[in-house]
Amino acid sequence: MPQPVFRFAPSPNGHLHLGHALSALLNFDLARAAGGRLLLRMEDIDTARCRPEFEAAIFEDLAWLGISWEQPVRRQSEHFARYRAALAKLDAIRMTFPSFESRAELIHLVGDRDVRERWPRDPDGVPLYPGAARQMKEPDRQARIARGEPYAIRLDIEKAMEWVGPLRWNETGAGPGGERGEIAADPAAWGDVIVGRKETPTSYHLSVVIDDALQGVTHVVRGQDLFWATSVHRVLQALLDLPAPEYHHHRLVLDADGRKLSKSTAATGLRELRAQGVTPADVRRLVNVAL
Ligand code: GLU
């Protein structure tokens, strides 16, 4: 059997908190138990919010936790050409279309539809794409692009689903509703999801599947908040002929009010806890990962 490959893939747009510690420790422990490798990847496609000092702090916090990883660390911001090529491939098989609505226009369109019918939301609570750009005539598209208008590149989800057929993934953790084992992907729940933008030729969904495949990742261990995103990842893998890893979604660390932790809450930040004298063993206890 080939050696298992795990990865921890934070975004360097803030400091790590207890939720990241849980994810990183699980990846580290599972990789070690399986005799596997652990990679670290910086998901820094949002170049406006990601900063080198956050990346340096991530290295420091992980090392403090006792985690070690393989070099080199992959930075997504260094591979835009690779993602652009994948977008071109999706375009060549006519699976994507550009949409030109501004954020305000989208809110307005959804508002209108919400009055008449309750407009559907994706698993993250974001309204599905309500626009009609899929039907736009090719010369109109080309003219708007030539004029320099901003646009998002969307996956035509119905067409994609028809092309790839029903998809599943193997879940060794659990979904938010306790789902485990063979999971049927539900990409329609996401509508015509954004896979790239004019100014950033990729998206979280696109770069994550490309990198997992390129880096030979066999086991994706990440938070339950990304469980249903796996449906989109499976579609992109099928369209781009990429293998599907095994998935293990883990519970989230919640704050005292039962909300998901955010990077801005100092109370659960690893640096803050360290400054208060909390030890790495205490962190393991706090997130309930046995030593
Ligand atoms: N970069 C994502 C995050 O920080 C994790 C992506 C993944 O593990 O697939 O939430």
Side-chain angles (χ1 to χ4, degrees):
M1 207 181 84
Q3 199 182 12
V5 181
F6 293 73
R7 89 306 194 264
F8 177 57
S11 289
N13 57 9
H15 289 135
L16 300 186
H17 53 56
L18 286 174
H20 299 106
L22 169 61
S23 210
L25 287 167
L26 275 180
N27 268 291
F28 180 63
D29 290 359
L30 288 168
R32 228 173 18 177
R37 302 160 51 200
L38 176 62
L39 311 179
L40 177 60
R41 183 167 75 222
M42 291 296 149
E43 301 217 321
D44 59 349
I45 58 171
D46 184 349
T47 50
R49 290 176 61 223
C50 293
R51 297 216 293 267
E53 54 271 33
F54 288 132
E55 182 182 295
I58 289 173
F59 295 152
E60 202 179 287
D61 290 349
L62 293 177
W64 174 72
L65 282 175
I67 290 171
S68 51
W69 58 90
E70 269 183 31
Q71 299 292 343
V73 169
R74 182 176 172 91
R75 274 186 209 95
Q76 293 187 325
S77 60
E78 293 169 355
H79 299 279
F80 284 127
R82 177 78 74 158
Y83 310 132
R84 194 177 275 118
L87 283 177
K89 192 168 166 187
L90 293 175
D91 181 48
I93 54 172
R94 297 268 170 269
M95 288 296 152
T96 53
F97 62 89
S99 69
F100 301 88
E101 295 92 347
S102 66
R103 208 170 281 262
E105 279 171 310
L106 288 175
I107 290 172
H108 183 75
L109 281 171
V110 169
D112 266 0
R113 289 176 176 224
D114 260 343
V115 173
R116 285 179 275 131
E117 47 187 312
R118 181 152 160 70
W119 188 248
R121 262 71 179 164
D122 71 22
D124 287 344
V126 177
L128 301 196
Y129 172 63
R134 201 191 304 107
Q135 285 94 30
M136 201 181 277
K137 298 259 182 308
E138 200 51 41
D140 294 342
R141 283 183 181 149
Q142 293 314 326
R144 294 184 72 158
I145 291 172
R147 278 205 298 272
E149 286 189 32
Y151 58 87
I153 302 167
R154 294 180 181 272
L155 190 63
D156 186 331
I157 205 77
E158 271 185 30
K159 209 162 157 189
M161 286 170 64
E162 225 168 273
W163 176 284
V164 299
L167 296 168
R168 315 181 78 77
W169 79 85
N170 190 33
E171 177 64 45
T172 58
E179 302 88 345
R180 57 175 68 237
E182 283 292 306
I183 309 291
D186 180 19
W190 292 92
D192 296 330
V193 69
I194 294 178
V195 288
R197 292 180 189 277
K198 180 190 175 193
E199 70 280 13
T200 310
T202 191
S203 60
Y204 158 64
H205 296 307
L206 186 67
S207 27
V208 86
V209 299
I210 291 176
D211 285 1
D212 284 340
L214 259 168
Q215 297 190 285
V217 170
T218 56
H219 291 72
V220 169
V221 178
R222 63 185 177 195
Q224 224 160 50
D225 50 335
L226 292 168
F227 182 81
W228 285 115
T230 313
S231 293
V232 177
H233 301 171
R234 290 292 298 114
V235 172
L236 290 171
Q237 285 158 353
L239 291 172
L240 296 167
D241 288 323
L242 305 173
E246 277 205 10
Y247 288 91
H248 182 108
H249 292 91
H250 59 74
R251 66 193 152 81
L252 300 177
V253 180
L254 303 176
D255 68 12
D257 300 321
R259 278 188 306 250
K260 206 184 125 186
L261 301 184
S262 95
K263 284 196 166 123
S264 50
T265 28
T268 52
L270 297 183
R271 333 215 96 208
E272 285 81 1
L273 293 169
R274 179 155 83 239
Q276 289 160 25
V278 169
T279 67
D282 294 332
V283 170
R284 276 191 179 264
R285 267 189 296 276
L286 281 168
V287 298
N288 223 342
V289 178
L291 258 178

